[in-house]
Amino acid sequence: MITTEQQQRMVDKVAQIDALAARARILPVITIAREEDILPLADALAAGGLTVLEVTLRSALGLRAIQVLREQRPELLVGAGTVLTREMLAATEQAGSQFTVTPGVTQDMLEAGVESSLPLLPGISSPSELMMGYALGYRRFKLFPAEVSGGVAAIKALGGPFPEVRFCPTGGVGPGNINSYMAQSNVMCVGGSWMLDSKWIENRDWARIQECSAQALALLD
């Protein structure tokens, strides 16, 4: 059970996530391998229209990237992805993250999200996991891995028993199916990394990343 104060806090966090999703539409999922890539990569994405960034903690530079971007690119909205534990959540707060995203859920992680000052977008792949979050006031979830977990058909099916819930499908989303996802009334945005080809980053082909980002958004117009 959560307190009345926590319930109101969760309502406020849902509103924050809705505002984030409306601005993002497409949430690029970024893993930083070289510190010198942090700013030019973010600048390329922003020039292409993607100004809400999920920086994953899959690399040792994740927290550093969040800190650098918050300090030097305050116009961007920067969050932390692949947050697995309370300790990681606390570290993202200290780094300046503005939101957090998990690939899955545990009861402890969901409770930590209720207590956190940051809005948390928990990753789920089943109705049971969704219900764990729902009981604590969560109404916005990442469906991950989206295509493996049933894709558009799953999102349509979940809309029946959970009409208040909206999703950010991530995992297998790309140019070929993005419009099918975004056509669903319970999809608020999508996440992906197809505009971040590892070869482009390795070769510092920032123009290609900018172009692909702009093309991705153009698919939704």
Side-chain angles (χ1 to χ4, degrees):
M1 294 292 292
I2 61 175
T3 67
T4 301
E5 180 181 351
Q6 288 174 326
Q7 288 175 340
Q8 184 55 54
R9 191 185 308 160
M10 292 302 288
V11 170
D12 293 342
K13 289 180 180 180
V14 168
Q16 291 176 50
I17 291 177
D18 283 345
L20 177 159
R23 174 175 166 179
R25 301 177 75 196
I26 299 172
L27 185 62
V29 180
I30 305 164
T31 301
I32 297 293
R34 300 177 301 207
E35 186 164 356
E36 60 267 29
D37 292 343
I38 296 171
L39 292 175
L41 176 55
D43 289 344
L45 291 166
L50 302 180
T51 61
V52 182
L53 313 180
E54 178 189 334
V55 179
T56 74
L57 304 190
R58 297 177 190 175
S59 80
L61 289 170
L63 291 173
R64 174 62 179 160
I66 292 168
Q67 184 179 34
V68 168
L69 291 171
R70 293 289 289 124
E71 291 173 352
Q72 299 192 40
R73 297 294 185 271
E75 70 276 11
L76 301 179
L77 189 56
V78 181
T82 321
V83 178
L84 307 179
T85 65
R86 281 179 177 267
E87 293 74 20
M88 292 172 75
L89 178 57
T92 66
E93 290 179 308
Q94 292 176 356
S97 179
Q98 293 165 286
F99 63 93
T100 53
V101 185
T102 69
V105 294
T106 63
Q107 188 67 29
D108 186 61
M109 194 68 228
L110 289 168
E111 291 173 359
V114 172
E115 298 161 10
S116 173
S117 62
L118 302 178
L120 172 67
L121 186 66
I124 61 101
S125 60
S126 72
S128 297
E129 291 170 328
L130 191 159
M131 289 176 66
M132 288 172 60
Y134 195 94
L136 293 176
Y138 290 91
R139 296 296 183 270
R140 304 293 181 260
F141 297 87
K142 176 173 81 167
L143 181 67
F144 178 80
E147 282 290 282
V148 174
S149 302
V152 171
I155 286 172
K156 287 181 177 178
L158 290 168
F162 305 106
E164 300 172 68
V165 170
R166 299 182 74 202
F167 299 95
C168 173
T170 307
V173 180
N177 58 15
I178 186 173
N179 281 319
S180 296
Y181 278 104
M182 290 297 288
Q184 307 310 310
S185 60
N186 56 347
V187 169
M188 56 184 178
C189 63
V190 300
S193 58
W194 73 91
M195 72 295 294
L196 295 164
D197 187 280
S198 59
K199 288 294 183 184
W200 302 345
I201 297 174
E202 182 180 344
N203 295 330
R204 297 181 170 87
D205 192 350
W206 311 126
R208 186 73 177 272
I209 290 171
Q210 176 182 339
E211 179 185 19
C212 189
S213 299
Q215 290 172 346
L217 281 175
L219 292 170
L220 304 180
D221 294 334

